[in-house]
Amino acid sequence: MPSNAQLAFIGGGNMARSLIGGLLADGYPSDLIRIAEPNAERRDMLASELGIVPTASNTEAATDAAAVILTVKPPIVRSVAEELSGLIHKQQSLTISVAAGVRMQDIERWLGEGVAVVRTMPNTPSLVRSGATALLANAQVNKAQQELAESLMRAVGQTLWLDVEEDMDIVTAVSGSGPAYFFLLMEALEDAAAEQGLDRDRARLLVLETATGAARMALESEDSPGQLRQRVTSPGGTTESALNVLNDHDFHAALGKAVKAAADRAEELGNLLGEQ
């Protein structure tokens, strides 16, 4: 990321704190980061945690910013975008939305034509710098702005660019909602271990370390998850017995239906937010 780019975060919630924390950990100058947060108690907390003095004024934070990052709740995006529209046009700032479900066309409509916009969809592991973020740029975003947006989101994890906005609903269903699917699996495994007589603390440790190890194996291997599954499944063994039960209950189909339901709901919410 350019070391002289002024960044303005509008909203001082968890995602803003995570992004700023990642930037600072990577050595980004704190004097080039501004935060606007209306809640006085939260401003004090941000100042204490990050060493950056926030402001209550969105306009003050966004003045002279190369990029304005919207880290507010989705229903607030419209009012913030309309408030800052004139300033963003004047400065030709890049606008980066981190608001889930808010469509590119609506952000462009609220800001006015001709503004460079990048829409992102990070997930909650971004809070511990292990996130996965999809990004989508409109036609006004130049190469330098694209690199700036990508560098920002890489401060909290991995990134990938999308070509069409329709894919953002699928991303929401897979990586946005995905941590909850894995938490459910962990919860079920822990419960199953406890039902078989293992105490909760040992069960939880085994489940968490197994999940971490499996994810690391998948990340470091060139094999697909299906190939890795086959490799650890011995014919007639314990793993095969367990997988047979999951297959009998149509595990793949159930998860497919779950992802579709999440994607359909993401589309519905995007439509509702656009009707504000």
Side-chain angles (χ1 to χ4, degrees), residues 3 12 19 21 44 73 75 130 156 189 196 233-234 248 266:
S3 60
L19 287 166
D44 291 341
K73 294 185 182 299
S130 295
V156 292
L189 279 173
Q196 294 298 314
T233 305
S234 300
D248 287 343

Coordinates of all heavy atoms in Angstrom, one line a residue, residues 3 12 19 21 44 73 75 130 156 189 196 233-234 248 266:
S3 N 2.6 4.4 1.1 CA 2.8 4.8 2.5 C 2.3 6.2 2.8 O 2.3 6.6 4.0 CB 4.2 4.6 2.9 OG 5.0 5.4 2.1
G12 N -16.5 3.3 13.8 CA -15.5 2.7 14.6 C -15.8 1.4 15.2 O -15.4 1.1 16.3
L19 N -9.3 -3.7 10.8 CA -8.5 -3.2 9.7 C -7.4 -2.3 10.1 O -6.3 -2.4 9.7 CB -9.5 -2.5 8.7 CG -10.4 -3.5 7.9 CD1 -11.5 -2.6 7.2 CD2 -9.6 -4.2 6.8
G21 N -6.0 -2.1 13.1 CA -5.0 -2.8 13.8 C -4.1 -3.6 12.9 O -2.9 -3.6 13.1
D44 N -13.4 7.1 22.8 CA -12.4 6.9 23.9 C -11.7 5.6 23.8 O -10.5 5.5 24.0 CB -13.0 7.1 25.3 CG -13.5 8.6 25.5 OD1 -13.0 9.5 24.8 OD2 -14.3 8.8 26.4
K73 N -22.9 0.2 9.7 CA -23.9 -0.8 9.5 C -24.6 -0.5 8.2 O -24.8 0.6 7.8 CB -24.9 -0.8 10.7 CG -24.2 -1.3 12.0 CD -25.3 -1.4 13.1 CE -24.6 -1.8 14.4 NZ -23.9 -3.1 14.3
P75 N -27.7 -0.3 7.1 CA -28.8 0.7 6.9 C -28.3 2.1 7.0 O -29.0 3.1 6.6 CB -29.7 0.4 8.1 CG -29.4 -1.0 8.5 CD -27.9 -1.2 8.2
S130 N -7.4 -13.5 10.0 CA -7.4 -14.7 9.3 C -8.6 -14.8 8.4 O -9.2 -15.8 8.1 CB -7.5 -15.9 10.2 OG -6.3 -16.0 11.0
V156 N -6.0 -8.0 6.9 CA -6.7 -8.9 7.8 C -7.0 -10.3 7.2 O -7.8 -11.1 7.7 CB -8.1 -8.3 8.2 CG1 -7.9 -7.1 9.1 CG2 -8.9 -7.9 7.0
L189 N -19.5 -31.9 17.2 CA -18.4 -32.9 17.5 C -18.1 -32.9 19.0 O -17.9 -33.9 19.6 CB -17.1 -32.5 16.7 CG -17.0 -33.0 15.3 CD1 -15.8 -32.5 14.6 CD2 -17.0 -34.5 15.2
Q196 N -20.3 -39.5 24.5 CA -19.6 -40.7 24.5 C -18.7 -40.9 25.8 O -18.0 -41.9 26.0 CB -18.7 -40.9 23.3 CG -19.5 -41.0 22.0 CD -20.3 -42.3 22.0 OE1 -19.9 -43.4 22.3 NE2 -21.6 -42.1 21.6
T233 N -9.2 -41.9 4.8 CA -10.3 -42.8 5.0 C -9.8 -44.2 4.6 O -9.8 -44.5 3.4 CB -11.5 -42.4 4.2 OG1 -11.9 -41.0 4.5 CG2 -12.7 -43.3 4.5
S234 N -9.5 -45.0 5.5 CA -9.1 -46.4 5.2 C -10.3 -47.3 5.1 O -11.3 -47.2 5.8 CB -8.3 -46.9 6.4 OG -7.1 -46.2 6.6
D248 N -25.4 -41.3 4.6 CA -26.8 -41.8 4.7 C -27.7 -40.7 5.0 O -28.9 -40.8 4.6 CB -26.8 -42.9 5.8 CG -26.2 -44.2 5.3 OD1 -25.9 -44.4 4.1 OD2 -25.9 -45.0 6.2
A266 N -29.3 -13.4 1.0 CA -28.4 -12.2 0.8 C -28.9 -11.4 -0.4 O -28.9 -10.2 -0.3 CB -27.0 -12.8 0.4

